[in-house]
Amino acid sequence: MSTATPRWVMHLDMDAFYAAVEQRDAPTLRGRPVVVGAQPGGRGVVATCSYEARRFGIHSAMPINEAHRRCPDAVYLRPRMAHYLEVARQIRTVMAACAPVVEPISIDEAFLDVSGLGHLVGPPETIGRRIKEAIRAAVGLTASAGIGPNRLVAKIASDFGKPDGLIVVTPEQVLDFLGGQPVGVLRGVGRRTLPLLTRLGVHTVADLRGLSLTRLQAQLGPRAAASLYQQARGIASDRVGECAARKSLSKETTFGVDIADPQILRDTLRDLAAEIAAAARQEGIAGRTVTLKIRFCGFETHTRQRRLPQRSDDARTLVAAAWSLFEAGRWQGKPVRLIGLGIADLGSPGPVQPDLFDSAAERPADSERERRLTVAVERIHARFGAGALRRGM
């Protein structure tokens, strides 16, 4: 008889995080549709929105003017990334105090290994409730939690219970729980794979189980087939680890409709660069390699990289490099489905080394003054919102 401690993995996801923070900070916004992102009448997209706004069909990455058409009475706010990052830091502090192993995977979600807490706290339901209550007490926000024997089940369970949900799936319940889920919840089922599965009569995870591995391989190839075959049977990793030393930092946006307008694309890159720069400064890192990712219809995807003279955490530097990569790709006028920006070759921000022969080279004093100005702008954004002050790029 096995005496091994059962594996319990929790996936915790904050509910409509940016919008929820805004509703918390301004009680008059509670119960109203709130959209965080670009301002209507201009260009750009939705970053996130409250559940009240989602009832109008608004979702992340939707062009902001389409969101305004669907709900002109919503409250439209610019993101306050520095503020959201500070709230996320508080949430991670709570998680670290509640669970022995925490693995953040984005600003508003994480995996937690809660396997060893049964003797100290109680069953998984009690553990999940304790952690959710601790987060609510610390920051006044709700989170959805899924607990299961592995990462896959925990992630699907947290999504299934939104908002403010707590779903526990025992090993004996895994097959039944997954069976009724739409097949699109599985990793690797996207815009290209889903139509293929639909043509095969696969709509749910239970339907997928009805296909042999051989048939899946014939349709999807060996790697994708093996992954979906295992996921359909609830087989996935149960490993949760402390976040390893970061190798890169990236953000991307998928548009609701393909975008060809260069101004919208550049504005979107500007917003992504601002988020990456704020996150990099929060972690005390900077990047030397800038990566542009772009995807067109038909899943045609390209990546381009540029190496900077020195590591940078400056948003204007990042967006300038990314936009030069876009222009070099000669993609002007071609509708874009997804655009992303990232930095790699990370390390501590170093002093700028000016070119000795460049009369216009930035002096160290100028570099330090620029950094202080950037920090001051972010503090203003954190307190008053990004619309209070915006620098040219």
Side-chain angles (χ1 to χ4, degrees):
M1 183 174 179
S2 174
T3 58
T5 302
R7 296 291 296 155
W8 290 113
V9 175
M10 170 187 284
H11 179 262
L12 193 141
D13 194 0
M14 302 305 297
D15 298 319
F17 182 50
Y18 299 172
V21 171
E22 299 296 347
Q23 289 178 317
R24 180 202 68 176
D25 292 351
T28 56
L29 299 181
R30 294 172 189 171
R32 299 183 62 186
V34 174
V35 178
V36 179
Q39 287 295 298
R43 297 179 171 91
V45 298
V46 175
T48 192
C49 61
S50 68
Y51 285 92
E52 294 85 357
R54 296 181 192 193
R55 298 191 188 112
F56 293 88
I58 299 173
H59 56 77
S60 298
M62 174 180 283
I64 197 66
N65 290 326
E66 172 61 19
H68 189 256
R69 185 189 68 78
R70 296 186 181 207
C71 187
D73 295 329
V75 178
Y76 291 85
L77 302 172
R78 292 287 301 175
R80 296 189 291 161
M81 283 309 303
H83 185 48
Y84 305 149
L85 285 163
E86 173 56 27
V87 177
R89 186 194 63 76
Q90 297 173 37
I91 294 169
R92 291 183 183 180
T93 299
V94 172
M95 290 191 291
C98 292
V101 183
V102 178
E103 181 186 337
I105 55 175
S106 74
I107 187 174
D108 60 350
E109 62 179 321
F111 282 107
L112 294 78
D113 187 342
V114 296
S115 303
L117 299 181
H119 298 302
L120 299 172
V121 180
E125 292 89 348
T126 302
I127 297 169
R129 191 163 53 251
R130 287 272 188 92
I131 295 175
K132 281 165 52 69
E133 289 171 354
I135 290 173
R136 188 193 292 267
V139 297
L141 301 173
T142 65
S144 292
I147 303 178
N150 58 50
R151 297 167 69 102
L152 170 73
V153 175
K155 174 70 167 68
I156 294 174
S158 71
D159 290 340
F160 185 74
K162 278 187 166 292
D164 197 18
L166 172 59
I167 304 291
V168 177
V169 183
T170 68
E172 297 77 20
Q173 296 169 332
V174 166
L175 291 181
D176 286 341
F177 172 72
L178 291 179
Q181 301 288 335
V183 72
V185 303
L186 301 181
R187 292 190 62 185
V189 179
R191 294 176 62 242
R192 186 168 55 175
T193 306
L194 187 57
L196 261 175
L197 294 174
T198 301
R199 287 197 294 271
L200 293 173
V202 173
H203 304 283
T204 67
V205 176
D207 294 335
L208 182 61
R209 277 187 222 134
L211 298 184
S212 68
L213 179 58
T214 300
R215 189 173 183 194
L216 280 174
Q217 289 173 334
Q219 296 292 328
L220 306 175
R223 186 172 180 179
S227 173
L228 293 183
Y229 187 86
Q230 289 188 320
Q231 289 184 70
R233 288 154 180 80
I235 301 170
S237 172
D238 62 4
R239 295 184 61 186
V240 179
E242 295 285 355
C243 192
R246 187 187 286 278
K247 296 182 179 179
S248 63
L249 182 61
S250 64
K251 298 286 290 185
E252 61 186 38
T253 291
T254 301
F255 299 108
V257 296
D258 293 355
I259 299 294
D261 188 325
Q263 190 59 53
I264 294 180
L265 296 175
R266 187 163 187 169
D267 286 347
T268 303
L269 280 175
R270 179 185 289 115
D271 291 341
L272 296 176
E275 291 186 41
I276 289 171
R281 278 188 287 275
Q282 181 87 357
E283 297 186 26
I285 57 175
R288 190 165 189 178
T289 300
V290 176
T291 300
L292 172 70
K293 178 180 178 181
I294 192 161
R295 179 173 296 157
F296 304 104
C297 61
F299 225 74
E300 176 191 349
T301 304
H302 301 270
T303 59
R304 298 287 188 271
Q305 291 186 332
R306 173 156 297 172
R307 188 168 172 82
L308 302 174
Q310 59 273 323
R311 290 190 177 94
S312 177
D313 58 6
D314 175 65
R316 293 186 301 170
T317 299
L318 303 184
V319 76
W323 189 248
S324 68
L325 288 168
F326 177 85
E327 291 183 318
R330 298 182 178 179
W331 295 312
Q332 292 86 344
K334 191 171 182 179
V336 175
R337 173 67 174 165
L338 173 151
I339 195 164
L341 188 153
I343 56 174
D345 187 10
L346 304 180
S348 300
V352 173
Q353 299 295 325
D355 187 338
L356 184 63
F357 301 102
D358 186 354
S359 60
E362 183 180 51
R363 298 187 303 273
D366 296 329
S367 176
E368 180 57 29
R369 188 179 301 113
E370 174 68 22
R371 179 175 290 277
R372 290 199 304 269
L373 177 60
T374 298
V375 172
V377 169
E378 288 183 353
R379 287 175 178 169
I380 293 172
H381 288 176
R383 184 171 182 182
F384 300 107
L389 181 66
R390 188 169 189 177
R391 301 178 65 187
M393 288 189 182

